[in-house]
Amino acid sequence: QLQLVESGGGLVQPGGSLRLSCAASGFTLDDYAIGWFRQAPGKEREGVSCITSTGFTTGSADSVKGRFTISRDNAKNRVYLQMNSLEPEDTATYYCAAGRQSFCSVKNSRPYNFWGQGTQVTVSS
């Protein structure tokens, strides 16, 4: 069974950090671009960050630039999202998604074929 599983979410104070992990089972991530998306209650899903299969190209939403960093370790079949300087506005369920496109996009979720179940991130004092 092909699955993506996110982990690393939790409750953190404003200004704190979390590292999310996206692990694949049943397939290898080597040929897949990965995107991180998030959705807060009552809001539309938005793209956060993405990385191509080679890791050479990344993309980020303006709201997280300079604070969030995406990386991948194909040997471990994982992709990470390091989130620093977290703000209450970052509170959401975070999802990773995989697609076999050669590019990566945070503005269009349609190229991504596989989605995880999400991990909750809550930023609150």
Side-chain angles (χ1 to χ4, degrees):
Q1 187 176 2
L2 308 181
Q3 280 188 317
L4 290 173
V5 180
E6 303 93 339
S7 62
L11 173 64
V12 64
Q13 292 186 342
S17 297
L18 284 174
R19 188 176 80 154
L20 304 184
S21 177
C22 174
S25 63
F27 68 108
T28 59
L29 291 178
D30 297 34
D31 295 330
Y32 290 82
I34 303 297
W36 282 98
F37 295 81
R38 67 186 181 186
Q39 188 166 21
K43 294 187 177 181
E44 292 187 357
R45 183 173 60 193
E46 65 170 336
V48 175
S49 192
C50 69
I51 188 167
T52 55
S53 60
T54 60
F56 292 157
T57 302
T58 63
S60 294
D62 289 342
S63 59
V64 305
K65 281 182 180 176
R67 300 190 298 123
F68 291 11
T69 302
I70 190 170
S71 62
R72 65 189 302 152
D73 186 340
N74 285 345
K76 295 184 177 180
N77 217 25
R78 286 178 180 264
V79 174
Y80 304 98
L81 185 67
Q82 178 67 43
M83 306 188 297
N84 298 327
S85 302
L86 283 162
E87 303 168 353
E89 293 74 21
D90 296 316
T91 295
T93 300
Y94 284 70
Y95 302 89
C96 67
R100 299 196 71 165
Q101 66 272 23
S102 59
F103 58 93
C104 81
S105 173
V106 295
K107 294 184 178 180
N108 184 3
S109 63
R110 283 178 292 177
Y112 298 95
N113 308 112
F114 300 105
W115 291 77
Q117 294 300 306
T119 185
Q120 178 67 36
V121 171
T122 302
V123 184
S124 175
S125 55

